[in-house]
């Protein structure tokens, strides 16, 4: 069984899959409470769904891309891993988002694991589980939400002190798109630094079109 908040079809707003039409499975519950969280509605469960039923729903939906998000999906790790394995067998291209505070060890490397490192603006800097550093692969992506210059400094220190570039993963910098000043600053900083950072405006916040919700 999996506790779900919602299923919807929309554009991927984050990661290197950004811009691709994607079916989102939003799992309920989270172990953090970030100041800027825009998905607190997922903290409560709308429906507990049998794994087999969920697999059928996703298989039948005409979307090669599937993103498992939350909340914090890794709180339901056992059924989550089963779900991932079945969907990969069906040919789906899966990404899983996580807030970085729970071990990713058991999450199959066949999926794109998009791992947050919480910056000071979240209220949860320091929540990253350092054990996860040893499991990061080149297919994974590390994401920092940047709300101000202190967040950027924190991110750069984290990358340097933990040798993140040596893992070969993609490093995503996502500015608070509602703040033009930090967005402009990030553009200039990334271009000027010549570092391998990917500028990731929050695409999903720019889209006015409503997602297509699937009945639960
Ligand atoms: S980890 Fe994500 S879902 Fe959880 S509180 Fe933070 S922003 Fe919200």
């Amino acid at each position: 069984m999996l506790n779900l908040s919602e299923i919807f079809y929309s554009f991927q707003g984050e990661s290197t899959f950004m811009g691709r039409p994607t079916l989102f499975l939003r799992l309920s519950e989270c172990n953090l409470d970030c100041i800027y969280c825009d998905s607190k509605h997922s903290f409560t469960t709308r429906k507990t769904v049998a794994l087999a039923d969920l697999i059928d729903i996703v298989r039948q939906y005409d979307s090669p891309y599937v993103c498992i998000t939350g909340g914090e999906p890794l709180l339901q790790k056992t059924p989550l891993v089963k779900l991932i394995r079945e969907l990969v067998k069906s040919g789906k291209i899966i990404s899983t988002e996580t807030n970085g505070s729970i071990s990713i060890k058991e999450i199959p490397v066949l999926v794109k694991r998009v791992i947050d490192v919480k910056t000071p603006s979240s209220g949860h800097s320091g929540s990253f589980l350092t054990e996860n550093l040893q499991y990061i692969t080149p297919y994974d992506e590390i994401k920092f939400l940047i709300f101000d210059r202190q967040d950027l400094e924190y991110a750069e220190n984290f990358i340097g002190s933990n040798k993140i570039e040596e893992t070969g993963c993609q490093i995503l910098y996502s500015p608070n798109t509602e703040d033009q000043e930090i967005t402009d600053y990030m553009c200039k900083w990334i271009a000027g630094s010549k570092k391998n950072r990917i500028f990731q405006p929050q695409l999903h916040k720019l889209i006015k079109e409503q997602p297509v919700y699937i009945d639960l």
Side-chain angles (χ1 to χ4, degrees):
M1 306 297 277
L2 264 165
N3 294 328
L4 273 176
S5 168
E6 57 193 0
I7 305 180
F8 59 97
Y9 184 64
S10 184
F11 285 97
Q12 176 58 266
E14 300 178 329
S15 84
T16 53
F17 288 163
M18 181 189 266
R20 295 175 193 271
T22 299
L23 184 68
F24 290 85
L25 313 181
R26 192 185 294 286
L27 275 54
S28 53
E29 301 160 33
C30 189
N31 58 328
L32 301 183
D33 189 12
C34 301
I35 292 164
Y36 51 63
C37 181
D38 59 3
S39 48
K40 292 197 178 185
H41 61 289
S42 69
F43 292 4
T44 48
T45 300
R46 269 193 54 225
K47 192 159 185 185
T48 301
V49 182
L51 202 52
D53 292 342
L54 183 58
I55 290 165
D56 277 350
I57 291 170
V58 179
R59 275 189 185 143
Q60 283 167 25
Y61 204 88
D62 185 18
S63 170
Y65 287 91
V66 177
C67 177
I68 303 168
T69 187
E72 173 45 58
L74 271 57
L75 288 173
Q76 303 183 65
K77 205 183 281 179
T78 302
L80 172 67
V81 170
K82 285 184 189 160
L83 173 70
I84 288 171
R85 291 197 191 286
E86 288 304 314
L87 294 181
V88 168
K89 273 191 224 161
S90 312
K92 298 289 185 184
I93 303 162
I94 315 283
S95 58
T96 301
E97 299 177 339
T98 175
N99 62 31
S101 69
I102 297 175
S103 176
I104 62 168
K105 183 179 176 186
E106 301 90 346
I107 306 301
V109 292
L110 296 166
V111 301
K112 184 172 285 301
R113 303 178 300 189
V114 182
I115 308 158
D116 273 4
V117 177
K118 294 296 178 187
T119 51
S121 291
S122 70
H124 286 290
S125 62
S127 62
F128 189 85
L129 184 71
T130 47
E131 172 198 314
N132 277 336
L133 293 168
Q134 64 188 296
Y135 306 126
I136 295 170
T137 75
Y139 190 49
D140 293 331
E141 305 189 1
I142 293 272
K143 177 163 68 74
F144 297 85
L145 256 172
I146 308 287
F147 271 63
D148 54 31
R149 296 180 192 201
Q150 189 196 359
D151 285 349
L152 176 60
E153 194 179 329
Y154 181 91
E156 282 299 307
N157 283 338
F158 184 93
I159 292 163
S161 58
N162 292 298
K163 301 186 170 52
I164 297 296
E165 288 176 324
E166 291 178 16
T167 69
C169 74
Q170 302 291 344
I171 300 173
L172 315 176
Y173 274 178
S174 180
N176 173 16
T177 315
E178 284 157 12
D179 182 341
Q180 193 61 48
E181 197 211 318
I182 193 67
T183 302
D184 292 345
Y185 181 76
M186 286 304 308
C187 280
K188 284 193 194 122
W189 187 90
I190 291 174
S193 75
K194 307 284 193 291
K195 290 184 176 177
N196 194 11
R197 312 283 184 262
I198 301 177
F199 179 66
Q200 288 252 302
Q202 296 170 294
L203 180 69
H204 51 293
K205 293 200 173 165
L206 303 176
I207 295 171
K208 303 291 177 218
E209 194 78 18
Q210 283 297 308
V212 176
Y213 287 96
I214 315 297
D215 283 342
L216 283 176

